[in-house]
Each structure stands twice: as structure tokens, then as C-alpha cells.
Amino acid sequence: MAPLTTLPELLTYSLFLLLAWTAVDVYVTRYGPLAGTRSLTKVHNWFYAAVSLVMLVRILNTDDSKDSFTIRYIFHLSKFYESIDILLVCASGSQISDSLAFHHFTTPYLTYLRYVDHHGGWRPFAVLNNFHHLLVYTFFARGKGGGVLLRSVLPYTGILQLIVSVWVDVMYGLDKYYDGGLEPWWPNLGAIALVGGYFVLFFQGFGFRVGQKMVLLVGLLGLFLILRALVDGVKTAL
């Protein structure tokens, strides 16, 4: 079995990340930001932008009729590396936002649920997520010269990947449910819950209150269910 593909391993990593974050935070509180963090962060951002581009190209050229485990596993592992963001941001003396912490602590669980074993419909979100991260990490790697165009595009690529992720999991989850449980649908439900959390936190920076964000999320899920019912109706008619 490949490393970091079991729940105990994920929980162990989460504990390690929490302890490392705490240690860095204590150090920064006592002695100030770590020297060289900004340069290291820039290297990290350029590196992960390149990794995202390579994964994007590889995913687009992966034949689903053959074994896609290798690229799905690499995508899963990339989320562990991505969590280094927390340590770098903390080491620079900046505060860790709730959305950043939730995102980096939970994305390995999302890829564990949907990209290791129960991977039906894995490609759309993986493509959009890597494209979004290519833009995000390029933007931050460029620093203040990140560019107005990149900044203006990021909110749209961010919300698009979340919408597509929920849509795919609703579709696949309902298919599994209606098939009588031949395949487990709980991974899709778990993914919807996690991505729903990202969806709520995503709007935090746009001035939406929690109640408003929950209404948006529930409304979006309702729209998905209505569309799914319409699709099923069309299939039945044909």
C-alpha cells in the first residue's frame, strides 16, 4: 500500500503539522520572523506553480481506460506538500487565517476520499484545481508585481473549481445511491461536506455573513439536485 493513503497516516500527519505550526509560532512570538523566510517562500511558490502545471498537463493527457493511479496519487501527495504554506506564512510573522488553516488541514482528506480509491469523476476538479493553483502560486511568487489580471481572475477560478467539485460528487453520489449501494456513496458525501466548507469560507473575504453563505451553499446544492432530476427525466424520456 502506498504511503499516506490510510486514515491513521493522515491523522498522524495532521498532528505533525499542528505541532510544527505550534513550534514555529512559539519561536516567532519570542524571537521574531525567521530569516530568509520570504526568499524561501518565493522559491516554494514558483516550485509549486511549476508542479501544478506539470500535473495539469499530465492529468489532461491521462487515459482513463488505463491505470490513472500514479497521477491521482501524485495529486494526493501534492496536498501534503502544499500544507507547508502554513509553516512559511507563520515563519514570516503573518497570521494564519481560518480559511487557510482549514484548507490545508483538510485537503489531504478530500483527496484521500476521492482520489485514492473512490475516484469516479476525479478529472474535472483535479484539472480546475491545478489550473487555479498554477495561477495562485504564480501570483504570489511574483509578489507585488503579481499583476492586476491574475488577481481579477483568481476569484472566478476558485469558485468554479468548487462548483464543479460539488456538482460531480452530487451526480456520482446519487448514481451510487440509486444503484442500491453497490459502490459506497459516503466518499462523495464527505467530499461535498469538505468542499462545502471551502465554499463558505471562500466568501468570507467578500463580506458575506455565515448565514448568507449557508443560504448560498444550500441554494447551490438545491440547484444541483433540480438539474440532476431534469437530466434523469431527459434520460428516461429518451
Side-chain angles (χ1 to χ4, degrees), residues 102 162 166 190-202 213-214 217 221:
F102 180 77
L162 301 182
V166 173
I192 291 171
L194 285 176
V195 176
Y198 305 149
F199 185 91
V200 170
L201 290 171
F202 181 84
K213 290 180 280 189
M214 290 305 298
L217 176 60
L221 288 175

Side-chain angles (χ1 to χ4, degrees), residues 90-156:
C90 184
S92 69
S94 300
Q95 292 294 318
I96 305 296
S97 66
D98 293 340
S99 57
L100 182 68
F102 180 77
H103 170 72
H104 285 309
F105 269 94
T106 59
T107 46
Y109 294 89
L110 174 64
T111 51
Y112 162 74
L113 286 171
R114 292 290 285 112
Y115 293 87
V116 177
D117 291 321
H118 309 287
H119 58 274
W122 69 277
R123 189 192 298 266
F125 175 74
V127 167
L128 292 173
N129 182 254
N130 277 293
F131 179 66
H132 177 64
H133 281 84
L134 169 62
L135 300 183
V136 167
Y137 283 87
T138 299
F139 175 78
F140 284 112
R142 295 179 63 182
K144 294 182 179 179
V148 176
L149 179 60
L150 275 178
R151 179 184 289 274
S152 63
V153 168
L154 290 179
Y156 298 101

